[in-house]
């Protein structure tokens, strides 16, 4: 299984990604939920290499 790193991205600031680190999916989802309180346009991204992409459903 690939080592997945999660991050927070925003539709209002494309390309500006805040890395969350290598944590499990549940912890990443919890961080996104907290962030959406202040910034409703954030979403979860992931990378397994050098490229960030929207997180896939698991």
């Amino acid at each position: 299984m690939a080592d997945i790193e999660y991050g927070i991205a925003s539709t209002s600031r494309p390309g500006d990604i805040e890395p969350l680190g290598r944590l499990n999916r549940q912890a990443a989802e919890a961080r996104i939920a907290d962030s959406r309180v202040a910034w409703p346009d954030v979403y979860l991204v992931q990378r397994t290499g050098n490229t960030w992409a929207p997180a896939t459903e698991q």
Side-chain angles (χ1 to χ4, degrees):
M1 183 171 169
D3 198 13
I4 298 173
E5 181 177 4
Y6 290 101
I8 297 174
S10 170
T11 57
S12 63
R13 297 186 65 163
D16 186 14
I17 297 171
E18 177 185 342
L20 297 175
R22 287 177 171 79
L23 38 89
N24 67 42
R25 176 69 180 237
Q26 185 177 7
E29 298 267 353
R31 294 281 302 269
I32 285 290
D34 287 344
S35 296
R36 283 189 179 135
V37 172
W39 303 286
D41 68 337
V42 297
Y43 59 97
L44 189 63
V45 292
Q46 67 184 37
R47 72 176 171 182
T48 54
N50 293 325
T51 306
W52 289 101
T56 57
E57 293 294 324
Q58 293 183 351

